[in-house]
Coordinates of all heavy atoms in Angstrom, one line a residue:
D1 N 247.9 -43.6 156.0 CA 248.1 -42.3 155.5 C 248.3 -41.2 156.6 O 249.1 -40.3 156.4 CB 247.0 -41.8 154.5 CG 246.9 -42.7 153.3 OD1 247.9 -43.5 153.0 OD2 245.9 -42.5 152.5
R2 N 247.5 -41.4 157.7 CA 247.6 -40.4 158.8 C 248.4 -40.9 159.9 O 248.7 -40.1 160.8 CB 246.1 -40.1 159.2 CG 245.2 -39.6 158.1 CD 245.2 -38.1 158.2 NE 244.2 -37.6 157.2 CZ 243.0 -37.2 157.4 NH1 242.5 -37.3 158.6 NH2 242.2 -36.8 156.4
G3 N 248.7 -42.2 160.0 CA 249.5 -42.7 161.1 C 248.8 -42.9 162.4 O 249.5 -43.1 163.4
L4 N 247.5 -42.9 162.4 CA 246.7 -43.2 163.7 C 246.9 -44.6 164.1 O 246.9 -45.5 163.2 CB 245.3 -42.8 163.5 CG 244.9 -41.4 163.7 CD1 245.4 -40.5 162.7 CD2 243.4 -41.3 163.8
P5 N 247.0 -44.9 165.4 CA 247.1 -46.3 165.8 C 245.7 -47.1 165.5 O 244.7 -46.5 165.7 CB 247.3 -46.2 167.3 CG 247.8 -44.8 167.5 CD 247.2 -44.0 166.5
T6 N 245.9 -48.3 165.1 CA 244.7 -49.1 164.7 C 243.7 -49.1 165.9 O 242.5 -49.0 165.7 CB 245.1 -50.5 164.3 OG1 246.0 -50.4 163.2 CG2 243.9 -51.3 163.9
E7 N 244.2 -49.4 167.1 CA 243.3 -49.5 168.2 C 242.5 -48.2 168.5 O 241.3 -48.3 168.8 CB 244.1 -49.9 169.5 CG 243.2 -50.2 170.7 CD 244.0 -50.7 171.9 OE1 245.2 -51.0 171.7 OE2 243.4 -50.8 172.9
D8 N 243.1 -47.1 168.3 CA 242.4 -45.8 168.5 C 241.3 -45.6 167.4 O 240.2 -45.1 167.7 CB 243.4 -44.6 168.4 CG 244.4 -44.6 169.6 OD1 244.2 -45.4 170.5 OD2 245.4 -43.8 169.5
I9 N 241.6 -46.0 166.2 CA 240.7 -45.9 165.1 C 239.5 -46.8 165.4 O 238.3 -46.3 165.3 CB 241.3 -46.3 163.8 CG1 242.5 -45.4 163.4 CG2 240.2 -46.2 162.7 CD1 243.3 -45.9 162.3
I10 N 239.7 -48.0 165.8 CA 238.6 -48.9 166.1 C 237.8 -48.4 167.3 O 236.6 -48.5 167.2 CB 239.2 -50.4 166.3 CG1 239.7 -50.9 165.0 CG2 238.1 -51.3 166.9 CD1 240.5 -52.2 165.1
N11 N 238.4 -47.9 168.3 CA 237.7 -47.4 169.4 C 236.8 -46.2 169.0 O 235.6 -46.2 169.4 CB 238.7 -46.9 170.5 CG 239.3 -48.0 171.3 OD1 238.8 -49.1 171.3 ND2 240.4 -47.7 171.9
G12 N 237.3 -45.4 168.1 CA 236.4 -44.3 167.6 C 235.3 -44.8 166.8 O 234.1 -44.3 166.9
F13 N 235.6 -45.7 165.9 CA 234.5 -46.3 165.1 C 233.4 -47.0 166.0 O 232.2 -46.8 165.8 CB 235.0 -47.4 164.1 CG 235.8 -46.9 162.9 CD1 236.3 -47.8 162.1 CD2 235.9 -45.6 162.6 CE1 237.0 -47.4 160.9 CE2 236.6 -45.1 161.5 CZ 237.2 -46.0 160.7
H14 N 233.9 -47.7 167.0 CA 233.0 -48.4 167.9 C 232.1 -47.4 168.6 O 230.8 -47.6 168.7 CB 233.8 -49.3 168.9 CG 232.9 -50.0 169.8 ND1 232.6 -49.6 171.1 CD2 232.3 -51.2 169.7 CE1 231.8 -50.5 171.7 NE2 231.6 -51.5 170.8
A15 N 232.7 -46.4 169.1 CA 231.8 -45.4 169.8 C 230.8 -44.8 168.9 O 229.6 -44.6 169.3 CB 232.8 -44.3 170.4
Q16 N 231.2 -44.5 167.7 CA 230.2 -43.9 166.8 C 229.1 -44.8 166.4 O 228.0 -44.5 166.3 CB 231.0 -43.4 165.5 CG 230.1 -42.7 164.5 CD 229.5 -41.4 165.0 OE1 230.1 -40.8 165.9 NE2 228.4 -41.0 164.5
V17 N 229.5 -46.1 166.1 CA 228.4 -47.1 165.8 C 227.5 -47.3 166.9 O 226.3 -47.4 166.7 CB 229.1 -48.4 165.3 CG1 228.1 -49.5 165.2 CG2 229.8 -48.2 164.0
V18 N 228.0 -47.5 168.1 CA 227.1 -47.7 169.3 C 226.2 -46.5 169.5 O 225.0 -46.6 169.7 CB 228.0 -47.9 170.6 CG1 227.1 -47.9 171.8 CG2 228.7 -49.3 170.4
T19 N 226.7 -45.3 169.3 CA 225.9 -44.1 169.5 C 224.8 -44.0 168.4 O 223.6 -43.8 168.7 CB 226.8 -42.8 169.4 OG1 227.7 -42.8 170.4 CG2 225.9 -41.5 169.4
M20 N 225.1 -44.4 167.2 CA 224.1 -44.4 166.1 C 223.1 -45.5 166.3 O 221.9 -45.2 166.1 CB 224.8 -44.5 164.8 CG 225.7 -43.3 164.4 SD 226.7 -43.6 162.9 CE 225.4 -43.6 161.7
M21 N 223.5 -46.6 166.8 CA 222.6 -47.7 167.1 C 221.6 -47.3 168.2 O 220.4 -47.5 168.0 CB 223.3 -49.0 167.5 CG 224.0 -49.7 166.4 SD 225.0 -51.1 167.0 CE 223.7 -52.2 167.6
V22 N 222.1 -46.6 169.2 CA 221.2 -46.2 170.3 C 220.2 -45.1 169.8 O 219.0 -45.2 170.1 CB 222.0 -45.7 171.5 CG1 221.1 -45.0 172.6 CG2 222.8 -46.8 172.2
M23 N 220.7 -44.2 169.0 CA 219.9 -43.1 168.5 C 218.8 -43.7 167.6 O 217.6 -43.2 167.6 CB 220.7 -42.1 167.7 CG 221.6 -41.3 168.7 SD 222.7 -40.2 167.8 CE 221.6 -39.2 166.8
L24 N 219.1 -44.7 166.8 CA 218.2 -45.2 165.8 C 217.2 -46.2 166.4 O 216.0 -46.2 166.0 CB 218.9 -45.9 164.6 CG 219.6 -44.9 163.7 CD1 220.5 -45.7 162.7 CD2 218.7 -44.0 163.0
M25 N 217.6 -47.1 167.3 CA 216.7 -48.1 167.8 C 216.5 -48.1 169.3 O 215.7 -48.9 169.8 CB 217.3 -49.5 167.3 CG 218.6 -49.8 167.9 SD 219.4 -51.3 167.2 CE 219.7 -50.8 165.5
G26 N 217.1 -47.2 170.0 CA 217.0 -47.2 171.4 C 218.0 -48.1 172.2 O 218.5 -49.1 171.6
G27 N 218.2 -47.8 173.4 CA 219.2 -48.5 174.2 C 218.9 -50.0 174.4 O 219.8 -50.9 174.3
I28 N 217.6 -50.4 174.6 CA 217.3 -51.8 174.9 C 217.6 -52.6 173.7 O 218.2 -53.7 173.8 CB 215.8 -51.9 175.3 CG1 215.6 -51.2 176.7 CG2 215.4 -53.3 175.3 CD1 214.2 -51.1 177.1
D29 N 217.1 -52.2 172.5 CA 217.4 -53.0 171.3 C 218.8 -53.0 170.9 O 219.4 -54.1 170.5 CB 216.5 -52.5 170.1 CG 215.0 -52.9 170.3 OD1 214.7 -53.8 171.1 OD2 214.2 -52.2 169.7
A30 N 219.5 -51.9 171.1 CA 220.9 -51.8 170.7 C 221.7 -52.8 171.7 O 222.6 -53.5 171.2 CB 221.5 -50.4 170.9
E31 N 221.4 -52.8 172.9 CA 222.1 -53.6 173.9 C 221.8 -55.1 173.5 O 222.8 -55.9 173.5 CB 221.5 -53.4 175.3 CG 222.2 -54.4 176.3 CD 221.5 -54.3 177.7 OE1 220.2 -54.1 177.7 OE2 222.2 -54.5 178.7
K32 N 220.6 -55.5 173.1 CA 220.4 -56.9 172.8 C 221.2 -57.3 171.6 O 221.8 -58.4 171.6 CB 218.9 -57.0 172.4 CG 218.5 -58.4 172.0 CD 217.0 -58.5 171.6 CE 216.7 -59.9 171.2 NZ 215.6 -60.0 170.3
I33 N 221.3 -56.4 170.6 CA 222.1 -56.8 169.4 C 223.6 -56.9 169.7 O 224.3 -57.8 169.3 CB 221.9 -55.7 168.3 CG1 220.5 -55.8 167.7 CG2 222.9 -55.8 167.2 CD1 220.0 -54.6 166.9
M34 N 224.1 -56.0 170.6 CA 225.5 -56.0 171.0 C 225.8 -57.2 171.8 O 226.9 -57.8 171.7 CB 225.9 -54.7 171.7 CG 226.0 -53.5 170.7 SD 226.5 -52.0 171.5 CE 224.9 -51.3 172.0
I35 N 224.9 -57.6 172.7 CA 225.1 -58.8 173.5 C 225.2 -60.1 172.6 O 226.0 -60.9 172.8 CB 224.1 -59.0 174.6 CG1 224.3 -57.9 175.7 CG2 224.0 -60.4 175.2 CD1 223.2 -57.8 176.7
E36 N 224.2 -60.1 171.7 CA 224.2 -61.3 170.7 C 225.5 -61.3 169.9 O 226.1 -62.4 169.7 CB 223.0 -61.2 169.8 CG 221.7 -61.5 170.6 CD 220.5 -61.2 169.8 OE1 220.6 -60.8 168.6 OE2 219.4 -61.4 170.3
A37 N 226.0 -60.1 169.4 CA 227.2 -60.1 168.7 C 228.4 -60.5 169.5 O 229.3 -61.2 169.1 CB 227.4 -58.7 168.1
G38 N 228.4 -60.0 170.8 CA 229.5 -60.4 171.7 C 229.6 -61.9 171.9 O 230.7 -62.4 171.9
A39 N 228.5 -62.5 172.0 CA 228.5 -64.0 172.2 C 229.1 -64.7 171.0 O 229.7 -65.7 171.1 CB 227.1 -64.5 172.5
K40 N 228.8 -64.1 169.8 CA 229.4 -64.7 168.6 C 230.9 -64.5 168.4 O 231.6 -65.4 167.9 CB 228.7 -64.2 167.3 CG 227.2 -64.6 167.2 CD 226.6 -63.9 166.0 CE 225.1 -64.3 166.0 NZ 224.4 -63.5 164.9
V41 N 231.4 -63.4 168.9 CA 232.8 -63.1 168.7 C 233.7 -63.5 169.8 O 234.9 -63.7 169.7 CB 233.1 -61.6 168.3 CG1 232.3 -61.2 167.1 CG2 232.7 -60.7 169.5
R42 N 233.1 -63.7 171.0 CA 233.9 -64.0 172.2 C 234.8 -65.2 172.0 O 236.0 -65.1 172.4 CB 232.9 -64.3 173.4 CG 233.7 -64.6 174.7 CD 232.7 -64.6 175.9 NE 232.2 -63.3 176.1 CZ 230.9 -63.0 176.0 NH1 230.0 -63.8 175.5 NH2 230.5 -61.8 176.2
P43 N 234.4 -66.3 171.3 CA 235.4 -67.4 171.2 C 236.4 -67.3 170.1 O 237.3 -68.1 169.9 CB 234.5 -68.6 170.9 CG 233.3 -68.0 170.3 CD 233.1 -66.7 170.9
M44 N 236.3 -66.2 169.3 CA 237.2 -66.0 168.2 C 238.6 -65.5 168.6 O 238.6 -64.4 169.3 CB 236.6 -65.0 167.1 CG 235.4 -65.5 166.5 SD 234.8 -64.2 165.4 CE 233.3 -65.0 164.7
P45 N 239.7 -66.1 168.3 CA 241.0 -65.6 168.6 C 241.4 -64.5 167.6 O 240.9 -64.5 166.5 CB 241.9 -66.8 168.5 CG 241.3 -67.6 167.4 CD 239.8 -67.4 167.6
S46 N 242.3 -63.7 168.1 CA 242.9 -62.7 167.1 C 243.9 -63.4 166.3 O 244.5 -64.4 166.6 CB 243.5 -61.5 167.9 OG 244.7 -62.0 168.6
I47 N 244.3 -62.8 165.1 CA 245.3 -63.3 164.3 C 246.6 -63.3 165.1 O 247.4 -64.3 165.0 CB 245.5 -62.5 163.0 CG1 244.3 -62.8 162.1 CG2 246.8 -62.9 162.3 CD1 244.2 -61.9 160.9
A48 N 246.9 -62.2 165.9 CA 248.1 -62.1 166.7 C 248.2 -63.3 167.7 O 249.2 -63.9 167.8 CB 248.1 -60.8 167.4

């Protein structure tokens, strides 16, 4: 509807989610969750 590039939208969502995670649980716990999530998604290929 607005024509924003998908990558830009995802980058904005990511920044907001990371900021909220840090504010709610602190940097150490947020980092741990993100590292664990990264390990799970690292081997996944994109559809493209």
Side-chain angles (χ1 to χ4, degrees):
D1 294 351
R2 302 264 182 97
L4 276 67
T6 302
E7 187 172 351
D8 295 351
I9 299 165
I10 292 171
N11 286 340
F13 284 178
H14 181 264
Q16 183 64 26
V17 168
V18 169
T19 299
M20 292 172 71
M21 288 174 67
V22 171
M23 289 173 58
L24 290 170
M25 62 188 68
I28 292 171
D29 289 339
E31 177 190 33
K32 180 181 178 208
I33 290 168
M34 288 183 271
I35 288 171
E36 290 170 359
K40 291 177 183 176
V41 301
R42 185 171 289 113
M44 295 178 180
S46 68
I47 291 173

